[in-house]
Amino acid sequence: MTDRPHAADDSPELEDRDYVALASFRHALRHFLAFSEEAARAVGMTPQQHQAILAIRGLSPREGMTINDFAERMLLKQHTAVELVDRLEAAGLVRRARDAGDRRRALLTLTDRAGELLEALSRAHLAQIGRDAPQLIEILQRMSRKDGPARS
Amino acid sequence: MTDRPHAADDSPELEDRDYVALASFRHALRHFLAFSEEAARAVGMTPQQHQAILAIRGLSPREGMTINDFAERMLLKQHTAVELVDRLEAAGLVRRARDAGDRRRALLTLTDRAGELLEALSRAHLAQIGRDAPQLIEILQRMSRKDGPARS
DNA sequence: GCCAGATATATCGTATTACGATGTAATTCA
DNA sequence: TGAATTACATCGTAATACGATATATCTGGC
């Protein structure tokens, strides 16, 4: 019921530039993600498969990773992670090995092929991030410089 | 056929820290996108619907946006954009108005309800970005500081 | 003024994938 | 030892992006 110039709290109205900044940020993210998706598909992987082997390589490159830890890192439900691992295994990118100490656990490790493909993808991604980072950083700083919305 | 210490080109081997940085970046992105998804669903929108109205608000808040421009901005195929707009219209978030000058075109504008929901979402997102930006910027700089992969 | 081609939007069938609900095997501990 | 817990797996369903294709409108050359 309060009149429009102010929201319920005392924060100032959002201005056009706030929406422009948020929209630019999302556009930049979509652009990066589209690049990444295309790069993954170009080597025969789905985007999720690429993210999956990167998560394993980045977090547990040698000792192997349980499905639960993998699900948590990927922000997926446990059974969604199981299905993703099924597809990774079928694609020859990941191996399941039962943990000898606790045979409920499946430890995930990358195949050599996954390592090679991931290395090429990672080089391409680092190069792309080198190109995109300045703009992303600029937008992030523009949005977070002030903790309220836009001023002057 | 070249031995492993160097790839085909002369760039140095990727190291653990390169994979850790890339994996951390993707994890931070997933974290932000999960927040955004949850925020959108909390007000009864799908994540794509939220991104859609943000794109319209950020790019053509008053004059309206054609479906083709919308598809391009969202990095979607034209007919996928049509379907998304169908759902937005059914949800009462977007209106189609035939362009009087070129009646092939549908100009998309936001409803008042979309404007109100987007404002609340945008405040929440700016706050979240205020929290996440430092880490994101740090990782981006770490990855792009050098144009090759990690060095000491 | 007419029509071939171009442009803008729309429709239909399909495939992928994430999820809720649920099941099974292994482990823990009172 | 057996009830509860933990870890992984299976099945059916829903959402959505896409390729292929259709329809309506506009444009330029004649």
Side-chain angles (χ1 to χ4, degrees):
Chain A
M1 300 308 181
T2 68
D3 217 14
R4 183 52 74 39
H6 290 84
D9 56 275
D10 61 2
S11 51
E13 280 301 281
L14 294 186
E15 299 173 21
D16 280 359
R17 70 164 66 88
D18 296 308
Y19 293 108
V20 169
L22 282 163
S24 300
F25 180 57
R26 292 311 279 251
H27 184 252
L29 284 186
R30 281 193 297 272
H31 182 266
F32 171 74
L33 294 173
F35 158 82
S36 180
E37 180 164 339
E38 164 63 22
R41 292 200 193 279
V43 298
M45 273 184 231
T46 66
Q48 274 294 72
Q49 288 176 341
H50 168 220
Q51 286 200 69
I53 65 176
L54 176 60
I56 295 170
R57 180 63 179 80
L59 218 65
S60 308
R62 335 222 179 267
E63 63 278 25
M65 193 174 201
T66 69
I67 300 238
N68 269 338
D69 289 346
F70 174 70
E72 187 175 351
R73 183 66 174 182
M74 293 289 288
L75 303 184
L76 295 172
K77 300 297 172 192
Q78 176 270 328
H79 54 264
T80 302
V82 167
E83 294 169 325
L84 178 50
V85 170
D86 288 344
R87 294 191 293 269
L88 285 161
E89 206 173 20
L93 296 168
V94 160
R95 264 186 305 265
R96 277 175 164 99
R98 287 288 155 183
D99 183 340
D102 181 345
R103 302 214 327 275
R104 290 172 303 179
R105 293 188 179 165
L107 294 179
L108 308 177
T109 54
L110 301 185
T111 63
D112 289 348
R113 200 171 94 80
E116 287 160 16
L117 292 175
L118 181 61
E119 176 169 358
L121 282 173
S122 296
R123 285 185 195 284
H125 277 70
L126 285 171
Q128 181 69 22
I129 287 168
R131 288 188 287 274
D132 288 354
Q135 189 204 358
L136 274 172
I137 290 172
E138 201 274 323
I139 298 175
L140 281 168
Q141 286 173 339
R142 174 149 41 106
M143 286 189 293
S144 59
R145 189 169 305 137
K146 39 202 160 20
D147 30 77
R151 24 149 270 94
S152 165
Chain B
M1 301 311 179
T2 69
D3 219 12
R4 182 51 74 38
H6 291 85
D9 54 276
D10 61 2
S11 51
E13 280 302 282
L14 295 187
E15 300 173 21
D16 280 358
R17 70 163 65 89
D18 296 308
Y19 293 107
V20 169
L22 283 164
S24 301
F25 181 57
R26 293 311 279 252
H27 184 252
L29 285 187
R30 282 194 296 272
H31 182 265
F32 172 74
L33 294 173
F35 158 82
S36 179
E37 179 164 339
E38 164 62 21
R41 293 200 192 279
V43 299
M45 274 184 230
T46 67
Q48 274 293 72
Q49 289 176 341
H50 169 220
Q51 285 200 70
I53 65 175
L54 176 60
I56 295 171
R57 178 63 180 81
L59 219 66
S60 310
R62 339 226 177 263
E63 62 278 26
M65 194 173 201
T66 68
I67 300 237
N68 268 339
D69 289 346
F70 173 70
E72 189 175 349
R73 183 67 174 181
M74 293 289 289
L75 304 185
L76 295 173
K77 300 296 172 192
Q78 175 270 329
H79 53 265
T80 301
V82 168
E83 296 168 322
L84 178 51
V85 170
D86 288 344
R87 294 190 294 268
L88 285 162
E89 207 174 20
L93 296 169
V94 160
R95 265 186 305 268
R96 276 174 164 99
R98 285 289 154 185
D99 183 338
D102 183 345
R103 301 215 327 276
R104 290 171 303 179
R105 293 186 179 167
L107 295 179
L108 308 177
T109 54
L110 300 186
T111 62
D112 289 349
R113 199 171 97 78
E116 289 159 15
L117 292 175
L118 181 61
E119 179 171 355
L121 282 174
S122 295
R123 285 185 195 284
H125 277 70
L126 285 171
Q128 181 69 22
I129 288 168
R131 287 187 287 274
D132 288 353
Q135 188 205 0
L136 274 171
I137 291 172
E138 200 273 325
I139 298 175
L140 282 168
Q141 286 173 340
R142 174 150 39 109
M143 285 188 295
S144 61
R145 190 169 303 139
K146 39 205 159 21
D147 33 73
R151 21 151 279 92
S152 169

